[in-house]
Amino acid sequence: PRTAPWVVQSLAPEALADRLAWQRGMLVFDGERLEDALAEVARYGDVRFSIPDARLRDMRIGGVYKSGDVDGLLRSLERNFDLLVTRGPRGEWVVAER
């Protein structure tokens, strides 16, 4: 099958550093959807997230987090984004509005 042509794009040094932050054990979010950010966090550990509210899935978040520090991320969601994070029935973290 045919694939789309490659697109070459220049990045500012800051944007490049953000994209490569994973090499330093960090995750940088700058306006990503909450659902996408949590999917990225889940890639780095044995953790699952659930966001029942579709509006919250599209919520934009930002911040710099250690890739394995799930507790730090959860505290940030509660303190900085005024969300409620609880354990679900299957051990997943459920993210909801307060």
Side-chain angles (χ1 to χ4, degrees), residues 71-85 98:
D71 290 336
L73 169 73
L74 298 178
R75 279 192 306 273
S76 175
L77 292 176
E78 291 185 330
R79 291 179 186 161
N80 300 324
F81 298 96
D82 200 31
L83 297 174
L84 178 64
V85 182
R98 281 197 189 275

PDB file of all heavy atoms in Angstrom, residues 71-85 98:
ATOM      1  N   ASP A  71       2.323   8.659  41.068  1.00  0.00           N
ATOM      2  CA  ASP A  71       1.754   9.353  42.232  1.00  0.00           C
ATOM      3  C   ASP A  71       1.888  10.870  42.081  1.00  0.00           C
ATOM      4  O   ASP A  71       0.962  11.618  42.403  1.00  0.00           O
ATOM      5  CB  ASP A  71       2.421   8.904  43.523  1.00  0.00           C
ATOM      6  CG  ASP A  71       2.061   7.476  43.897  1.00  0.00           C
ATOM      7  OD1 ASP A  71       1.003   6.995  43.465  1.00  0.00           O
ATOM      8  OD2 ASP A  71       2.849   6.846  44.619  1.00  0.00           O
ATOM      9  N   GLY A  72       3.031  11.335  41.593  1.00  0.00           N
ATOM     10  CA  GLY A  72       3.227  12.769  41.371  1.00  0.00           C
ATOM     11  C   GLY A  72       2.264  13.316  40.342  1.00  0.00           C
ATOM     12  O   GLY A  72       1.713  14.402  40.501  1.00  0.00           O
ATOM     13  N   LEU A  73       2.048  12.567  39.286  1.00  0.00           N
ATOM     14  CA  LEU A  73       1.092  12.988  38.254  1.00  0.00           C
ATOM     15  C   LEU A  73      -0.315  13.063  38.829  1.00  0.00           C
ATOM     16  O   LEU A  73      -1.038  14.041  38.600  1.00  0.00           O
ATOM     17  CB  LEU A  73       1.125  12.024  37.075  1.00  0.00           C
ATOM     18  CG  LEU A  73      -0.010  12.210  36.072  1.00  0.00           C
ATOM     19  CD1 LEU A  73       0.212  13.464  35.252  1.00  0.00           C
ATOM     20  CD2 LEU A  73      -0.161  11.011  35.189  1.00  0.00           C
ATOM     21  N   LEU A  74      -0.701  12.048  39.592  1.00  0.00           N
ATOM     22  CA  LEU A  74      -2.057  12.034  40.167  1.00  0.00           C
ATOM     23  C   LEU A  74      -2.252  13.207  41.121  1.00  0.00           C
ATOM     24  O   LEU A  74      -3.309  13.852  41.105  1.00  0.00           O
ATOM     25  CB  LEU A  74      -2.317  10.709  40.885  1.00  0.00           C
ATOM     26  CG  LEU A  74      -2.262   9.453  40.005  1.00  0.00           C
ATOM     27  CD1 LEU A  74      -2.484   8.207  40.843  1.00  0.00           C
ATOM     28  CD2 LEU A  74      -3.250   9.536  38.862  1.00  0.00           C
ATOM     29  N   ARG A  75      -1.234  13.497  41.947  1.00  0.00           N
ATOM     30  CA  ARG A  75      -1.324  14.674  42.840  1.00  0.00           C
ATOM     31  C   ARG A  75      -1.471  15.949  42.023  1.00  0.00           C
ATOM     32  O   ARG A  75      -2.244  16.846  42.369  1.00  0.00           O
ATOM     33  CB  ARG A  75      -0.092  14.756  43.735  1.00  0.00           C
ATOM     34  CG  ARG A  75      -0.138  13.847  44.934  1.00  0.00           C
ATOM     35  CD  ARG A  75       0.961  14.163  45.942  1.00  0.00           C
ATOM     36  NE  ARG A  75       2.297  14.164  45.353  1.00  0.00           N
ATOM     37  CZ  ARG A  75       3.066  13.090  45.216  1.00  0.00           C
ATOM     38  NH1 ARG A  75       2.643  11.916  45.616  1.00  0.00           N
ATOM     39  NH2 ARG A  75       4.274  13.197  44.682  1.00  0.00           N
ATOM     40  N   SER A  76      -0.738  16.044  40.937  1.00  0.00           N
ATOM     41  CA  SER A  76      -0.824  17.231  40.085  1.00  0.00           C
ATOM     42  C   SER A  76      -2.221  17.373  39.479  1.00  0.00           C
ATOM     43  O   SER A  76      -2.760  18.482  39.415  1.00  0.00           O
ATOM     44  CB  SER A  76       0.224  17.147  38.967  1.00  0.00           C
ATOM     45  OG  SER A  76       0.081  18.229  38.079  1.00  0.00           O
ATOM     46  N   LEU A  77      -2.801  16.271  39.032  1.00  0.00           N
ATOM     47  CA  LEU A  77      -4.155  16.337  38.474  1.00  0.00           C
ATOM     48  C   LEU A  77      -5.142  16.851  39.518  1.00  0.00           C
ATOM     49  O   LEU A  77      -6.033  17.638  39.205  1.00  0.00           O
ATOM     50  CB  LEU A  77      -4.593  14.974  37.956  1.00  0.00           C
ATOM     51  CG  LEU A  77      -3.855  14.436  36.737  1.00  0.00           C
ATOM     52  CD1 LEU A  77      -4.342  13.028  36.391  1.00  0.00           C
ATOM     53  CD2 LEU A  77      -4.017  15.369  35.543  1.00  0.00           C
ATOM     54  N   GLU A  78      -4.970  16.412  40.757  1.00  0.00           N
ATOM     55  CA  GLU A  78      -5.889  16.848  41.813  1.00  0.00           C
ATOM     56  C   GLU A  78      -5.637  18.288  42.229  1.00  0.00           C
ATOM     57  O   GLU A  78      -6.587  19.072  42.372  1.00  0.00           O
ATOM     58  CB  GLU A  78      -5.769  15.914  43.021  1.00  0.00           C
ATOM     59  CG  GLU A  78      -6.317  14.535  42.730  1.00  0.00           C
ATOM     60  CD  GLU A  78      -6.334  13.621  43.943  1.00  0.00           C
ATOM     61  OE1 GLU A  78      -5.471  13.764  44.831  1.00  0.00           O
ATOM     62  OE2 GLU A  78      -7.240  12.774  43.984  1.00  0.00           O
ATOM     63  N   ARG A  79      -4.394  18.650  42.407  1.00  0.00           N
ATOM     64  CA  ARG A  79      -4.072  20.003  42.899  1.00  0.00           C
ATOM     65  C   ARG A  79      -4.142  21.075  41.818  1.00  0.00           C
ATOM     66  O   ARG A  79      -4.680  22.156  42.046  1.00  0.00           O
ATOM     67  CB  ARG A  79      -2.672  20.014  43.495  1.00  0.00           C
ATOM     68  CG  ARG A  79      -2.554  19.247  44.771  1.00  0.00           C
ATOM     69  CD  ARG A  79      -1.137  19.276  45.290  1.00  0.00           C
ATOM     70  NE  ARG A  79      -0.999  18.410  46.444  1.00  0.00           N
ATOM     71  CZ  ARG A  79       0.147  17.963  46.881  1.00  0.00           C
ATOM     72  NH1 ARG A  79       1.276  18.286  46.290  1.00  0.00           N
ATOM     73  NH2 ARG A  79       0.187  17.174  47.938  1.00  0.00           N
ATOM     74  N   ASN A  80      -3.556  20.793  40.675  1.00  0.00           N
ATOM     75  CA  ASN A  80      -3.427  21.821  39.640  1.00  0.00           C
ATOM     76  C   ASN A  80      -4.584  21.871  38.661  1.00  0.00           C
ATOM     77  O   ASN A  80      -4.801  22.901  38.031  1.00  0.00           O
ATOM     78  CB  ASN A  80      -2.115  21.616  38.866  1.00  0.00           C
ATOM     79  CG  ASN A  80      -0.911  21.709  39.767  1.00  0.00           C
ATOM     80  OD1 ASN A  80      -0.875  22.497  40.696  1.00  0.00           O
ATOM     81  ND2 ASN A  80       0.080  20.878  39.506  1.00  0.00           N
ATOM     82  N   PHE A  81      -5.293  20.766  38.518  1.00  0.00           N
ATOM     83  CA  PHE A  81      -6.385  20.727  37.546  1.00  0.00           C
ATOM     84  C   PHE A  81      -7.733  20.486  38.201  1.00  0.00           C
ATOM     85  O   PHE A  81      -8.737  20.307  37.520  1.00  0.00           O
ATOM     86  CB  PHE A  81      -6.100  19.664  36.473  1.00  0.00           C
ATOM     87  CG  PHE A  81      -4.851  19.962  35.691  1.00  0.00           C
ATOM     88  CD1 PHE A  81      -3.641  19.387  36.031  1.00  0.00           C
ATOM     89  CD2 PHE A  81      -4.879  20.856  34.632  1.00  0.00           C
ATOM     90  CE1 PHE A  81      -2.486  19.673  35.326  1.00  0.00           C
ATOM     91  CE2 PHE A  81      -3.729  21.151  33.921  1.00  0.00           C
ATOM     92  CZ  PHE A  81      -2.527  20.560  34.268  1.00  0.00           C
ATOM     93  N   ASP A  82      -7.755  20.450  39.544  1.00  0.00           N
ATOM     94  CA  ASP A  82      -8.973  20.297  40.338  1.00  0.00           C
ATOM     95  C   ASP A  82      -9.790  19.071  39.923  1.00  0.00           C
ATOM     96  O   ASP A  82     -11.008  19.125  39.792  1.00  0.00           O
ATOM     97  CB  ASP A  82      -9.820  21.569  40.257  1.00  0.00           C
ATOM     98  CG  ASP A  82     -10.810  21.646  41.410  1.00  0.00           C
ATOM     99  OD1 ASP A  82     -10.488  21.120  42.496  1.00  0.00           O
ATOM    100  OD2 ASP A  82     -11.898  22.209  41.222  1.00  0.00           O
ATOM    101  N   LEU A  83      -9.076  17.957  39.696  1.00  0.00           N
ATOM    102  CA  LEU A  83      -9.736  16.701  39.347  1.00  0.00           C
ATOM    103  C   LEU A  83      -9.717  15.778  40.557  1.00  0.00           C
ATOM    104  O   LEU A  83      -8.942  15.958  41.480  1.00  0.00           O
ATOM    105  CB  LEU A  83      -9.029  16.047  38.168  1.00  0.00           C
ATOM    106  CG  LEU A  83      -9.052  16.851  36.866  1.00  0.00           C
ATOM    107  CD1 LEU A  83      -8.194  16.173  35.809  1.00  0.00           C
ATOM    108  CD2 LEU A  83     -10.479  17.039  36.377  1.00  0.00           C
ATOM    109  N   LEU A  84     -10.568  14.789  40.533  1.00  0.00           N
ATOM    110  CA  LEU A  84     -10.645  13.786  41.582  1.00  0.00           C
ATOM    111  C   LEU A  84     -10.132  12.472  40.992  1.00  0.00           C
ATOM    112  O   LEU A  84     -10.603  12.038  39.939  1.00  0.00           O
ATOM    113  CB  LEU A  84     -12.083  13.624  42.061  1.00  0.00           C
ATOM    114  CG  LEU A  84     -12.342  12.568  43.126  1.00  0.00           C
ATOM    115  CD1 LEU A  84     -11.609  12.936  44.415  1.00  0.00           C
ATOM    116  CD2 LEU A  84     -13.826  12.432  43.372  1.00  0.00           C
ATOM    117  N   VAL A  85      -9.178  11.850  41.662  1.00  0.00           N
ATOM    118  CA  VAL A  85      -8.612  10.588  41.188  1.00  0.00           C
ATOM    119  C   VAL A  85      -8.842   9.529  42.259  1.00  0.00           C
ATOM    120  O   VAL A  85      -8.431   9.702  43.402  1.00  0.00           O
ATOM    121  CB  VAL A  85      -7.100  10.722  40.891  1.00  0.00           C
ATOM    122  CG1 VAL A  85      -6.557   9.416  40.356  1.00  0.00           C
ATOM    123  CG2 VAL A  85      -6.839  11.855  39.906  1.00  0.00           C
ATOM    124  N   ARG A  98     -14.307  17.118  40.302  1.00  0.00           N
ATOM    125  CA  ARG A  98     -14.630  17.228  41.737  1.00  0.00           C
ATOM    126  C   ARG A  98     -16.075  17.603  41.895  1.00  0.00           C
ATOM    127  O   ARG A  98     -16.667  18.277  41.171  1.00  0.00           O
ATOM    128  CB  ARG A  98     -13.769  18.294  42.400  1.00  0.00           C
ATOM    129  CG  ARG A  98     -12.407  17.776  42.679  1.00  0.00           C
ATOM    130  CD  ARG A  98     -11.724  18.685  43.707  1.00  0.00           C
ATOM    131  NE  ARG A  98     -10.360  18.283  43.801  1.00  0.00           N
ATOM    132  CZ  ARG A  98      -9.923  17.288  44.587  1.00  0.00           C
ATOM    133  NH1 ARG A  98     -10.755  16.640  45.328  1.00  0.00           N
ATOM    134  NH2 ARG A  98      -8.663  16.965  44.598  1.00  0.00           N
TER     135      ARG A  98
END
